[in-house]
Amino acid sequence: MLKTHEIEQMTCVAKGPNHGPAPIPEEGRWIQAKEISDISGFTHGIGWCAPQQGTCKLSLNIKEGIIQEALIETIGCTGMTHSAAMAAEILTGKTILEALNTDLVCDAINTAMRELFLQIVYGRSQSAFSEGGLPIGAGLEDLGKGLRSSVGTMYGTLEKGPRYLELTEGYVVKMALDKDDQIIGYQFLKIGPMLEMIKKGIDANEAYEKNLGTYGRFADAERYIDPRHE
């Protein structure tokens, strides 16, 4: 290690107490993190690209510094979906430091990794106070039945008003309007569960009917519209 002449001529003064880093909460324990291998936890991070035409939600399950599970959800840009496919292969097995310095193809995914790295090394993980952390597979459980991301897609114009296209419940089939043409409910289709039923051999029309549901005062409407075509 190179030292300047001025430093070499100085008298050595004792440093005094060294208490180490402040403990951070990790999986139900307080840890003084000194190495990457000291980091464990499950958490989420959001990222965006420079032109801000798309965003990524990244969820990682980390055990002793190694990424064991990765869930990559993207929206707004077609190319991001293919980048997410590559990131799913790239991320697992890497340390969080390696992942931070790996080209994850898409800037939104890279930014999500940066934001998530900051959360996890500062002890702001979802599993900070969960003893033993969350099991591998927690990311899939977050997706729920049908293993589809929760997506909200709404559209509106000043001239024609709002259109509900997709909510947590599913793909919006019909919007219910009252006598004043205000929205009072909607009918939705649970796409994930429907496709699962079709894969198991159930007739498509039957699967469709079994996965329809309604929200709000749908039955009390004066009229119904297809939000995509009316």
Side-chain angles (χ1 to χ4, degrees), residues 151-203:
V151 176
T153 308
M154 312 297 156
Y155 179 71
T157 59
L158 179 61
E159 183 175 348
K160 298 296 184 178
R163 296 294 186 276
Y164 294 178
L165 302 176
E166 189 156 354
L167 292 95
T168 298
E169 295 92 343
Y171 177 98
V172 177
V173 179
K174 293 178 183 177
M175 285 170 48
L177 307 180
D178 65 11
K179 60 182 177 59
D180 299 317
D181 285 337
Q182 294 185 351
I183 302 167
I184 59 171
Y186 50 87
Q187 183 183 51
F188 58 86
L189 173 66
K190 295 179 285 185
I191 294 179
M194 180 188 72
L195 293 175
E196 287 296 312
M197 291 176 70
I198 293 172
K199 283 195 295 183
K200 292 175 182 176
I202 295 175
D203 177 74

Side-chain angles (χ1 to χ4, degrees), residues 56-139:
C56 168
K57 176 190 172 189
L58 179 62
S59 304
L60 298 181
N61 203 344
I62 299 154
K63 303 292 185 184
E64 296 179 350
I66 304 292
I67 297 170
Q68 302 290 336
E69 175 186 18
L71 171 64
I72 306 101
E73 300 173 85
T74 65
I75 191 168
C77 170
T78 53
M80 292 172 68
T81 62
H82 296 80
S83 299
M86 288 182 270
E89 294 186 61
I90 291 168
L91 284 168
T92 52
K94 288 188 180 294
T95 70
I96 55 172
L97 185 59
E98 285 178 298
L100 184 66
N101 289 287
T102 296
D103 180 10
L104 298 174
V105 189
C106 165
D107 274 350
I109 305 176
N110 286 322
T111 305
M113 184 65 226
R114 180 193 72 196
E115 296 301 306
L116 200 146
F117 181 90
L118 291 173
Q119 288 182 37
I120 200 81
V121 297
Y122 281 124
R124 271 73 170 178
S125 69
Q126 180 180 322
S127 60
F129 299 102
S130 300
E131 188 174 356
L134 299 181
I136 309 305

